[in-house]
Amino acid sequence: MFADYTWTELGSIFAMQGFAGLILFSVFVLMALGLAIIFGQMGVINMAHGEFMILGAYVTYLCSNFFQAFLPGLFSIYFFIAMALAFVAAGALGAFVEWALIRHLYKRPLDTLLATWGLSLIMQQAYRSIFGAREVGVTLPDWLLGSIALTDIIEIPINGLFVMALTLVIAVGVYFLMFKSRMGMQTRAVVQNRVMAGAVGINTEWVDRKTYALGCGIAGIAGSAFTMIGSTGPTAGQLYIVDTFLIVVFGGAASLLGTIASSFAISQAQSTMEFFLSGSMAKVLTLLTVVGILMLRPEGLFSHKIRR
């Protein structure tokens, strides 16, 4: 297989696949960060995470149509407004879901799995009723179109660079929020010892609600970014929920650093193998490798000792 290519061509191929892996890595991180917060910090198996992501995508779709029809002069900046609205919409719905449903199911992970799976079906049907069963796409501003040519062979899509920059900003923001802010300190205190945190005056119910809303809000931003690389449909979120859970479990359920590391490892392996194998075979081999590593290290790449 490699004999058919020169060393220069092989270098260009691996460079292109490596950059494609970085774009996939960015998307994985955006999708998995919210789930890592909800699953890792709260122990809630949120099977509706993909639907919160698609809510952000539909909000971006509505913003695209609105700015095209009523505010064409501001169309070039609509994507930033759409991301903010996607975060607010998904976060607000997440806070309501936590209050109405999730708070009654803490310490019952299998029940949260069934409840959120039912919620995902409800949200899918709601999207189908409101937006129709067909997939929709957004119109991107001109500055997000095109690519930058590094060489005669290697071209870097501008929207891929934007997704990577967005991922960096969100990851740094989550780090400072979880490890350098009062909210993060309270969240980590509740994770380590819920009873003691409540005894010293922390409102554990309010911390749970804010944490769940934050995870859903980040999923909304991921959905907004998702519109740049794929079309949006009522069931599109289900295509990524398995990859997202795989990333969180492989990295270590309570570790944000593990989520980033596992996203990078899985995306690069999958992107590189897809060039030489079929996409489905690349996924199978990636999954088998991850399962094998988890058999040797069940706690994932990174783990924290947590007291319940």
Side-chain angles (χ1 to χ4, degrees):
M1 178 183 295
F2 293 104
D4 298 332
Y5 301 95
T6 65
W7 285 108
T8 302
E9 290 173 333
L10 281 175
S12 299
I13 289 171
F14 279 107
M16 287 188 295
Q17 291 305 116
F19 187 79
L22 287 178
I23 297 177
L24 185 61
F25 158 70
S26 301
V27 175
F28 279 171
V29 169
L30 282 177
M31 291 190 304
L33 271 180
L35 187 64
I37 292 172
I38 294 173
F39 179 52
Q41 306 295 325
M42 303 174 64
V44 173
I45 304 175
N46 185 19
M47 294 299 292
H49 186 77
E51 279 60 49
F52 282 99
M53 186 181 79
I54 296 306
L55 174 60
Y58 274 124
V59 168
T60 305
Y61 166 72
L62 292 176
C63 285
S64 173
N65 291 345
F66 177 82
F67 275 83
Q68 273 188 308
F70 300 104
L71 296 172
L74 298 176
F75 186 76
S76 60
I77 64 170
Y78 93 88
F79 206 84
F80 297 101
I81 300 174
M83 286 191 295
L85 292 177
F87 177 82
V88 172
L93 180 59
F96 173 76
V97 168
E98 196 281 337
W99 172 80
L101 179 66
I102 302 300
R103 67 189 178 106
H104 304 292
L105 302 174
Y106 287 125
K107 297 184 179 179
R108 295 155 60 187
L110 292 181
D111 288 348
T112 63
L113 185 152
L114 292 174
T116 55
W117 179 65
L119 175 64
S120 72
L121 296 180
I122 294 173
M123 294 176 71
Q124 288 177 31
Q125 187 56 48
Y127 297 151
R128 191 174 288 109
S129 300
I130 296 172
F131 299 102
R134 299 182 62 181
E135 294 185 340
V136 298
V138 304
T139 303
L140 295 176
D142 292 338
W143 61 272
L144 279 175
L145 302 176
S147 60
I148 299 174
L150 295 183
T151 66
D152 294 337
I153 301 176
I154 303 175
E155 292 187 350
I156 302 175
I158 295 176
N159 58 3
L161 289 174
F162 179 80
V163 172
M164 291 169 62
L166 175 64
T167 301
L168 179 62
V169 171
I170 297 298
V172 171
V174 169
Y175 169 79
F176 277 98
L177 186 63
M178 298 303 295
F179 295 100
K180 301 294 183 181
S181 72
R182 181 179 178 85
M183 175 187 170
M185 181 177 62
Q186 292 179 345
T187 301
R188 287 182 287 116
V190 172
V191 169
Q192 291 176 6
N193 195 319
R194 177 178 294 271
V195 176
M196 186 60 70
V200 299
I202 296 177
N203 187 338
T204 57
E205 291 186 359
W206 182 237
V207 169
D208 289 336
R209 194 156 303 143
K210 289 190 294 185
T211 304
Y212 195 87
L214 174 65
C216 293
I218 294 174
I221 296 178
S224 187
F226 170 77
T227 60
M228 289 190 288
I229 60 174
S231 55
T232 302
T235 60
Q238 293 298 308
L239 301 176
Y240 294 91
I241 191 66
V242 174
D243 286 332
T244 306
F245 268 106
L246 182 66
I247 289 167
V248 172
V249 173
F250 182 48
S255 173
L256 296 180
L257 178 61
T259 298
I260 295 174
S262 64
S263 296
F264 181 81
I266 291 174
S267 62
Q268 288 296 330
Q270 190 169 305
S271 177
T272 302
M273 287 190 293
E274 280 180 355
F275 181 80
F276 301 102
L277 305 170
S278 64
S280 58
M281 183 57 68
K283 277 186 173 293
V284 168
L285 291 178
T286 303
L287 178 61
L288 289 176
T289 302
V290 171
V291 170
I293 294 175
L294 287 176
M295 290 176 66
L296 300 175
R297 188 177 173 84
E299 68 274 18
L301 296 178
F302 299 82
S303 63
H304 296 287
K305 293 181 180 180
I306 299 174
R307 292 178 293 173
R308 298 294 183 185

